[in-house]
Amino acid sequence: MLRNSMQTSRKTNVSRLLRVAAVVAAMSLITACSGAVNDTGTETADGNGTEPVSASPLDNFVENGLTLTYIVDPPNVYEADDGTITGASAEAIKAILAKLDITNLSYQNVPFDTTIPTLTSGRAELTSFIFNIKPDRCSEVAFANPVYIDRDGAMVQKGNPKNISSYDDLVADESIKIASLRGDAHLDWFKAYNIADSRVQQFDGLPQAIDAVVTGRADVYINGMVNLAGGLLQGGDDVEIAAPFDGPIIDGEEMLSIGSFATSYDNIDLLNAINAGIVDMINSGELGEIMGPLGYPASGVPDPTMTAKSICPDAPWPAGYIDLAG
């Protein structure tokens, strides 16, 4: 479960950020301390050796590019009319990777619930969309530092015929049919409220979930407010966002969608470099400047000292992981 009670320092840890920057710089200059490098690309100890130059852990991605997964989830990520992958999170990760000289990007469209197997199998290296950081997911993949925090909302048919204004309403009226994404974190929250699985319809993507509400096959679609705002573009005049709406309260605390990108634990050097970029772009305001006009208000950008490890302290973080928590 994700909570908004993370015990994070409110002061930027400059020394840790500089440490990461030094690591990233060292990865590209790793041979400098072990001898001269001749023009054939071989390292020379005292000018006479012929050992091969040690490559940066990121060199493979710089030279050969990397593959990112995407789902149709505007304004998070989606395919533009010209076929390019765009959206608030897609543009943010492009900017972060560009600072690492990783610009050769390819994309693989996958159902949301196959995202983690796609990463752990090596069929893709990184997500281009942000999704909830949860302990069970952290046990399988490594999340980058949070880039956005969002509250829950409800999309309903125009006029809100079921008068849905809270999770308690979902519990009280057992006739309410709920739409959700397959594998979504909200499924855990429904269980916490003892909402029967038979009342929840799971869909592979946002368009299908919105269509279920439009056509009356579902009475409500539950997700973060930003996701629902993007869904309004598809639902048009047939749907609206319920207001007011009280999100899930579990053990006395509001559950929040705390999202970021994910990769395999095998790509820990890539993760460290991305984390350093996220901290830098939050501190400079660049992250909000990129995501804001694309549908993610800057008010949802988290404090730069919040890390995935602070949310998932028991995850299998390897020795090479650099925790930027203040």
Side-chain angles (χ1 to χ4, degrees), residues 176-181 186-187 190-191 195-203 218 220:
I176 294 174
K177 301 184 294 291
I178 304 167
S180 180
L181 296 187
H186 295 81
L187 299 175
F190 299 152
K191 288 182 183 300
I195 294 172
D197 291 343
S198 60
R199 295 175 53 200
V200 181
Q201 302 175 47
Q202 299 183 41
F203 298 93
V220 60

Side-chain angles (χ1 to χ4, degrees), residues 4-143:
N4 64 341
S5 61
M6 304 298 177
Q7 299 301 310
T8 56
S9 169
R10 309 305 295 174
K11 180 176 70 173
T12 303
N13 194 323
V14 176
S15 64
R16 288 177 181 264
L17 177 58
L18 292 176
R19 180 184 169 200
V20 174
V23 169
V24 174
M27 288 190 293
S28 61
L29 298 174
I30 197 167
T31 62
C33 64
S34 58
V37 177
N38 63 25
D39 58 8
T40 63
T42 58
E43 187 181 74
T44 60
D46 298 326
N48 297 316
T50 58
E51 294 295 324
V53 174
S54 298
S56 160
L58 299 184
D59 277 353
N60 178 56
F61 299 127
V62 172
E63 295 181 14
N64 301 316
L66 56 76
T67 300
L68 301 96
T69 66
Y70 79 96
I71 59 175
V72 179
D73 184 30
N76 189 352
V77 63
Y78 56 94
E79 187 174 337
D81 291 339
D82 62 1
T84 59
I85 304 303
T86 188
S89 62
E91 296 303 325
I93 195 61
K94 285 179 192 176
I96 293 168
L97 294 174
K99 295 176 187 294
L100 302 174
D101 293 326
I102 302 174
T103 57
N104 179 13
L105 308 178
S106 59
Y107 295 85
Q108 184 176 152
N109 182 216
V110 300
F112 177 71
D113 62 335
T114 68
T115 296
I116 290 177
T118 301
L119 295 175
T120 56
S121 67
R123 297 193 301 273
E125 288 83 32
L126 184 67
T127 62
S128 65
F129 60 92
I130 58 175
F131 63 119
N132 281 1
I133 304 171
K134 297 173 53 205
D136 60 333
R137 292 173 178 169
C138 289
S139 69
E140 298 184 77
V141 292
F143 278 90

Side-chain angles (χ1 to χ4, degrees), residues 131-203:
F131 63 119
N132 281 1
I133 304 171
K134 297 173 53 205
D136 60 333
R137 292 173 178 169
C138 289
S139 69
E140 298 184 77
V141 292
F143 278 90
N145 287 358
V147 296
Y148 206 78
I149 300 176
D150 199 11
R151 284 180 165 79
D152 248 19
M155 178 173 287
V156 296
Q157 286 188 333
K158 200 73 171 180
N160 195 3
K162 292 283 189 176
N163 295 314
I164 298 169
S165 62
S166 68
Y167 267 57
D168 289 336
D169 291 337
L170 302 180
V171 174
D173 187 349
E174 295 185 358
S175 72
I176 294 174
K177 301 184 294 291
I178 304 167
S180 180
L181 296 187
R182 202 179 308 279
D184 196 85
H186 295 81
L187 299 175
D188 291 338
W189 300 342
F190 299 152
K191 288 182 183 300
Y193 272 76
N194 294 315
I195 294 172
D197 291 343
S198 60
R199 295 175 53 200
V200 181
Q201 302 175 47
Q202 299 183 41
F203 298 93

